[in-house]
Amino acid sequence: MNETTMHELRGKFRGEVITPADLTYDAARKVYNGMIDKRPSLIACCVDEADVIAAVRHGRESNLLTAVRGGGHNGGGLGTCDGGLVIDLSRMKGIRVDPAAGTVRVQGGCTGGDMDHATHAFGMATPGGTVSTTGVAGLTLGGGIGHLTRPYGLAIDNLLAVDMVLADGRFVTASATEDPDLFWAVRGGGGNFGVVTSFLFRLHPVATVSAGPTFWPIDQTPNVMKAYGEFIRQAPEDVSGFFAFLTVPPVPLFPPELHGKKVCAVVWCSTAAPEKADKATKAIRSVGKPLLDHVGPMPFPALQSLFDPLLPPDLQWYWRADFVKEFGDAAIAKHLEHASKAPPGLSQVHIYPIDGAAHRVGKSDTAFSYRDANFALVIVGIDPNPANAATITTWCKEYFDALHPYSAGGAYVNFMMDEGQDRVKAAFRENYDRLASVKKRYDPTNFFRVNQNIQPS
Ligand SMILES: Cc1cc2nc3c(=O)[nH]c(=O)nc-3n(C[C@H](O)[C@H](O)[C@H](O)COP(=O)(O)OP(=O)(O)OC[C@H]3O[C@@H](n4cnc5c(N)ncnc54)[C@H](O)[C@@H]3O)c2cc1C
């Protein structure tokens, strides 16, 4: 890229254009996963739609590999690239709640925490993830699984419209009535179709939830996991909780005698009235001999940020994932075997229920195809020390290889690393061909290809 084109971009830009020559470059190029160490040639920190349009045009005209960054949380580091342009939306944090319409408009640089903070003031929320520092943009474009999935569906099931800048620099609004094919594709198809500058979501009356964890010794897994699998699928939709394996962290939140113990757990979240939630979950919370049962009312944003302090940026992360229909005895035995071998520290496994309201949307109604799966499994190796990167990666891959035969075949795109085209196709199944034809229409040169890539048909 020559000096003239750089000056031209700076002339059109209201945000900041950062290059390797700038003192802020090293901080600006960082993403959440400390395992990712990429060096873009240019980081365009946009503050408005005009900046995004200028950055997209610059990327095209200079023939630069172009990545888009929302919250920067992608496990595989798909919010950045080596040698190319990063269109960074993290300064686009505008949020407008419309309490009368029951909607919220959220700009592309917001985190889940930003959104929950804004909507909670009105006693409302929309489905997002489970850690508040995750970007709304990447999470939503891949589907968006979280505590509110059973009662209110995936994040995309509550998406009413998006504002986008397309590969040719055009600005469009996509919704059920405007560019409906594009709107279908962005609901699960990731960042393949353009830069989403803002999202319009439907809100729900969620303020206080009954939430918190129940822990059991890991050797009670066969009993607890089977009981959980049966319980959650017939539980009322306003009762939810994800299953987990973890090592109890040495923090004041947990009693000292549990620190360092490997446990299986359920992290509960119920939007029902506290008495109803307690009654609905009492029997399952008493299965076997729990080590800890700490469920009570809390503000929804408090639940969403409960685990943030344990997961600061810059840790090493390695992920593997699959969708799952049920837990059979053989799969449960493999879970126990591999979860028991987790490296010490923060590595964990989450199994999110994705039934309830998410099952009322058809397989081909949005790009997210696994509406027939009941759970999204994710195995995550996490460690602060780069010297342990190989250990967490090996554990994660071996765990995945052992469980993959019991899966529904493909994974949730937002829980994948860079795993190749076959895995992308397996994630979308019969929706892949339609996605490829929408891609051809809106991004025929595959300009947006730093993502779980859908190739133009
Ligand atoms: C700690 C942690 C907790 C998580 N918990 C959950 C969870 O509970 N539920 C869940 O569903 N997922 C969860 N995830 C996964 C998360 O959804 C993905 O990592 C997602 O990619 C993060 O989005 P982001 O905007 O932060 O990421 P980025 O790295 O910024 O971007 C990810 C992808 O989205 C694209 N993208 C980002 N912004 C835009 C935009 N504005 N327009 C177009 N494309 C864009 C990027 O190009 C890239 O391909 C979690 C991740 C982490 C690290």
Side-chain angles (χ1 to χ4, degrees):
M1 185 182 18
N2 64 40
E3 282 296 306
T4 319
T5 54
M6 173 74 83
H7 281 306
E8 273 172 15
L9 176 64
R10 283 200 160 119
K12 287 177 195 153
F13 217 72
R14 183 157 274 226
E16 194 181 0
V17 178
I18 299 172
T19 72
D22 291 302
L23 287 174
T24 49
Y25 175 75
D26 274 326
R29 74 184 178 86
K30 267 190 191 296
V31 289
Y32 180 80
N33 183 355
M35 219 183 254
I36 309 292
D37 183 24
K38 296 198 174 163
R39 305 187 68 85
S41 64
L42 196 63
I43 303 168
C45 302
C46 305
V47 296
D48 59 17
E49 281 76 6
D51 279 357
V52 177
I53 292 168
V56 167
R57 291 205 167 127
H58 181 79
R60 272 192 83 105
E61 285 156 18
S62 304
N63 207 15
L64 287 171
L65 178 67
T66 298
V68 182
R69 183 157 87 209
H73 263 227
N74 189 265
L78 295 173
T80 185
C81 60
D82 269 325
L85 164 68
V86 172
I87 300 179
D88 179 352
L89 275 74
S90 61
R91 299 182 193 186
M92 291 181 61
K93 292 253 189 212
I95 302 183
R96 184 173 188 277
V97 179
D98 183 338
T103 61
V104 59
R105 181 169 288 281
V106 182
Q107 278 193 314
C110 291
T111 62
D114 298 330
M115 183 169 76
D116 291 335
H117 169 76
T119 61
H120 188 66
F122 298 88
M124 293 194 272
T126 194
T130 52
V131 174
S132 86
T133 52
T134 311
V136 169
L139 178 133
T140 300
L141 293 169
I145 295 169
H147 292 298
L148 300 182
T149 298
R150 292 196 86 240
Y152 299 118
L154 303 174
I156 51 171
D157 302 335
N158 296 278
L159 189 60
L160 300 171
V162 285
D163 281 347
M164 293 181 69
V165 177
L166 302 178
D168 60 7
R170 264 186 312 138
F171 178 82
V172 297
T173 295
S175 69
T177 51
E178 295 169 271
D179 280 293
D181 274 349
L182 181 60
F183 188 55
W184 174 85
V186 297
R187 283 177 293 159
N192 272 283
F193 305 94
V195 185
V196 177
T197 55
S198 77
F199 299 80
L200 181 68
F201 292 105
R202 185 186 304 116
L203 290 169
H204 302 277
V206 177
T208 302
V209 290
S210 294
T214 309
F215 289 171
W216 291 264
I218 199 163
D219 58 11
Q220 292 184 27
T221 295
N223 198 9
V224 175
M225 198 170 187
K226 199 172 182 73
Y228 165 83
E230 284 162 9
F231 164 78
I232 201 75
R233 286 168 58 192
Q234 53 71 45
E237 285 180 7
D238 53 8
V239 169
S240 191
F242 70 85
F243 191 88
F245 292 105
L246 69 149
T247 306
V248 180
V251 294
L253 189 62
F254 305 115
E257 64 275 17
L258 298 189
H259 292 176
K261 274 201 187 333
K262 286 198 162 63
V263 296
C264 63
V266 178
V267 179
W268 300 102
C269 172
S270 174
T271 53
E275 313 73 56
K276 181 185 169 199
D278 188 53
K279 203 169 154 204
T281 55
K282 207 169 192 83
I284 175 80
R285 281 163 39 222
S286 318
V287 164
K289 289 202 176 115
L291 288 169
L292 169 139
D293 183 38
H294 207 81
V295 184
M298 66 173 84
F300 182 62
L303 171 66
Q304 293 289 82
S305 52
L306 200 59
F307 302 111
D308 291 6
L310 297 170
L311 302 171
D314 235 8
L315 304 176
Q316 307 284 303
W317 286 70
Y318 193 87
W319 310 61
R320 277 284 191 267
D322 261 325
F323 288 112
V324 174
K325 289 192 176 164
E326 60 191 359
F327 314 139
D329 291 340
I332 291 174
K334 294 279 179 203
H335 274 292
L336 177 57
E337 179 191 340
H338 288 270
S340 302
K341 289 193 278 195
L346 291 162
S347 294
Q348 48 201 271
V349 176
H350 290 185
I351 304 176
Y352 296 99
I354 51 169
D355 58 342
H359 271 194
R360 285 199 292 280
V361 179
K363 273 177 167 183
S364 56
D365 290 349
T366 66
F368 185 100
S369 101
Y370 274 92
R371 300 287 180 170
D372 51 344
N374 291 306
F375 303 98
L377 159 73
V378 60
I379 305 153
V380 207
I382 312 173
D383 197 288
N385 187 351
N388 294 330
T391 308
I392 58 170
T393 303
T394 305
W395 170 74
C396 184
K397 286 183 176 171
E398 287 178 358
Y399 196 137
F400 170 81
D401 288 345
L403 265 300
H404 183 62
Y406 304 96
S407 76
Y412 173 40
V413 282
N414 276 346
F415 290 158
M416 283 163 55
M417 299 296 276
D418 202 350
E419 297 172 34
Q421 269 299 296
D422 285 349
R423 285 289 281 166
V424 176
K425 287 187 174 166
F428 293 111
R429 299 192 293 188
E430 51 274 41
N431 287 342
Y432 187 88
D433 289 347
R434 181 171 171 196
L435 281 164
S437 82
V438 178
K439 177 82 171 172
K440 186 177 176 196
R441 189 159 141 215
Y442 288 93
D443 183 17
T445 64
N446 205 2
F447 175 70
F448 294 110
R449 62 183 176 279
V450 186
N451 42 43
Q452 300 297 348
N453 195 233
I454 291 154
Q455 296 177 349
S457 58

